[in-house]
Amino acid sequence: MTDRRATRADSRAETIMRSTLELAREAGYAKLSVEAVAARAGVGKHTVYRRWPSKGVLFLDSLLSLHEPALEYADTGDITADLRRQIHAAVDLLGAPPWGPLYRALIGEAQHDPAVAAGLNERFIRPQAEKTVARIKAAQRRGQLAADLDLDLMMAILSGPLYFTLLITQEPLTHDYVDRVLHALFAGLAPRP
Amino acid sequence: MTDRRATRADSRAETIMRSTLELAREAGYAKLSVEAVAARAGVGKHTVYRRWPSKGVLFLDSLLSLHEPALEYADTGDITADLRRQIHAAVDLLGAPPWGPLYRALIGEAQHDPAVAAGLNERFIRPQAEKTVARIKAAQRRGQLAADLDLDLMMAILSGPLYFTLLITQEPLTHDYVDRVLHALFAGLAPRP
């Protein structure tokens, strides 16, 4: 492909992804269709299917194209404050409109479409988990966390309660809820000595 | 309605729910349709819609009609053993076929259909949470758990990591994973004194 043709294809892909998000916000993911996306983007349905095998994968790409650098961990030297700040940012982004309902819909689709589940993990969840473990390890070295943490579990333990609220009880994800979860996780369930 | 008519309606409802589960197991939830259920059950589509407003709500009812009494808490006096046994039973039931993929599909649908989300919470999640809190309180009274636990969070903290694995990473839910999560939750993240 010449540079100019590549640029044109990229810009058409951007138009398609933007149209996908617009339609998903307007009518909800359940009502989204590749036909409607193609019409909004002014392309043929086959142009969409040539790049994206399913509505779910198109939606995944579209949502991740918005990915903002808001979910980096700071390292101020205080692990409690840094975890708190990062998770507040995550719930502000993923738990509230416009991302919130779309992110929930994406995870819903991941229960039906294995390609969506795989893409979500490879491109979003795993990189986040690696950042979490890196920040946890730095804090452990400074004695701010238990020395024997099961690092493989950190992402599930820290974010599991938030996903439970996002996906199951579907109650609002507030900063206060995050703070209470962190407090409980730091303290542990065992009786205090 | 006379008793005989009520019995006939109940038995027809059972046939419809059984057909729903059969078809969901055979072809997966994404391909399930009210038309196919009606055909399998030998009733008209309108008979199905008269009782269930959407495919999602029909599926919820069908799945909960299977609900087994396997998720009760024992009280042997040992909270660690009882939590462990109960959560092992839960992941055996909810994390593996035949329930596992159907339960994941149900939660997927709850992201798109508010009536499914509400029914799931009222009829399954909340009763489970109440049992969990009752068992936790009994253990607290005996000094087997920290006295200041945030009881509202118990369900999210204990089961959140399991839902994260079921819905997000979609790795197998093993007894070993449950044991590691419980160990980490009891110990807490804070440095040991």
Side-chain angles (χ1 to χ4, degrees):
Chain A
M1 221 166 9
T2 64
D3 282 357
R4 192 190 290 180
R5 282 174 66 193
T7 308
R8 208 157 54 204
D10 282 351
S11 122
R12 195 160 56 188
E14 272 167 33
T15 305
I16 293 169
M17 292 193 287
R18 200 172 51 238
S19 303
T20 303
L21 293 174
E22 282 171 13
L23 286 166
R25 278 181 197 157
E26 287 166 20
Y29 178 79
K31 289 192 180 136
L32 188 71
S33 72
V34 169
E35 286 77 0
V37 168
R40 172 75 59 105
V43 302
K45 206 168 76 169
H46 296 294
T47 305
V48 179
Y49 278 122
R50 208 173 299 134
R51 180 151 178 167
W52 293 282
S54 69
K55 165 183 148 175
V57 175
L58 167 61
F59 186 60
L60 173 75
D61 261 9
S62 306
L63 207 51
L64 293 184
S65 76
L66 286 184
H67 185 30
E68 295 162 37
L71 300 183
E72 301 298 327
Y73 279 88
D75 187 349
T76 66
D78 176 348
I79 184 64
T80 321
D82 291 352
L83 275 176
R84 200 166 161 258
R85 188 176 303 117
Q86 196 275 349
I87 301 177
H88 283 183
V91 304
D92 288 346
L93 181 65
L94 303 176
W99 261 74
L102 302 179
Y103 188 55
R104 279 184 40 206
L106 181 71
I107 298 171
E109 188 68 15
Q111 308 315 313
H112 308 300
D113 185 337
V116 173
L120 173 66
N121 274 285
E122 279 157 30
R123 293 168 55 191
F124 186 66
I125 301 295
R126 205 166 307 147
Q128 282 298 319
E130 281 163 12
K131 286 179 205 166
T132 302
V133 168
R135 184 65 194 84
I136 295 274
K137 276 185 179 167
Q140 267 186 319
R141 278 194 297 271
R142 295 179 200 137
Q144 299 177 337
L145 292 174
D148 59 353
L149 296 179
D150 191 332
L151 294 174
D152 289 342
L153 295 182
M154 284 302 113
M155 187 69 176
I157 284 182
L158 286 167
S159 65
L162 312 175
Y163 279 98
F164 182 79
T165 298
L166 183 71
L167 302 172
I168 309 291
T169 66
Q170 303 191 358
E171 283 161 5
L173 271 172
T174 62
H175 286 200
D176 177 60
Y177 181 72
V178 170
D179 294 349
R180 286 168 56 206
V181 166
L182 281 175
H183 177 81
L185 292 177
F186 268 80
L189 298 177
R192 315 278 171 256
Chain B
M1 221 166 12
T2 65
D3 283 358
R4 193 191 288 179
R5 282 175 67 194
T7 308
R8 209 157 54 207
D10 282 351
S11 123
R12 196 160 56 189
E14 273 167 31
T15 306
I16 293 169
M17 292 192 287
R18 200 172 51 240
S19 303
T20 302
L21 293 173
E22 282 171 14
L23 286 166
R25 278 180 196 157
E26 287 165 22
Y29 178 79
K31 289 189 182 140
L32 188 70
S33 72
V34 169
E35 285 77 1
V37 168
R40 171 76 59 105
V43 301
K45 207 169 74 170
H46 294 294
T47 305
V48 179
Y49 277 122
R50 207 173 302 135
R51 179 152 179 165
W52 292 281
S54 70
K55 165 182 147 174
V57 175
L58 167 61
F59 187 60
L60 172 75
D61 260 9
S62 307
L63 206 52
L64 292 184
S65 75
L66 286 183
H67 185 31
E68 295 162 37
L71 300 182
E72 301 299 325
Y73 280 89
D75 187 349
T76 66
D78 177 348
I79 184 66
T80 321
D82 291 351
L83 275 176
R84 201 165 160 258
R85 189 177 303 117
Q86 196 274 349
I87 302 177
H88 284 182
V91 304
D92 288 347
L93 180 65
L94 303 175
W99 261 74
L102 301 180
Y103 189 54
R104 277 184 41 206
L106 181 71
I107 298 171
E109 188 68 15
Q111 309 315 313
H112 307 301
D113 185 338
V116 173
L120 173 66
N121 274 286
E122 279 158 29
R123 294 168 56 192
F124 186 67
I125 300 295
R126 204 165 308 147
Q128 282 299 320
E130 281 164 12
K131 288 179 204 165
T132 302
V133 167
R135 185 66 194 84
I136 294 274
K137 275 186 180 167
Q140 266 186 321
R141 278 195 296 270
R142 296 179 200 137
Q144 297 177 339
L145 292 174
D148 58 353
L149 295 179
D150 190 334
L151 295 174
D152 289 342
L153 295 182
M154 284 303 112
M155 187 71 176
I157 284 182
L158 286 167
S159 65
L162 312 175
Y163 279 97
F164 183 79
T165 299
L166 182 72
L167 302 172
I168 309 290
T169 66
Q170 302 191 0
E171 283 162 5
L173 271 172
T174 62
H175 287 200
D176 177 60
Y177 181 72
V178 170
D179 294 349
R180 287 167 55 207
V181 166
L182 280 175
H183 177 80
L185 292 177
F186 268 81
L189 298 175
R192 314 279 170 256

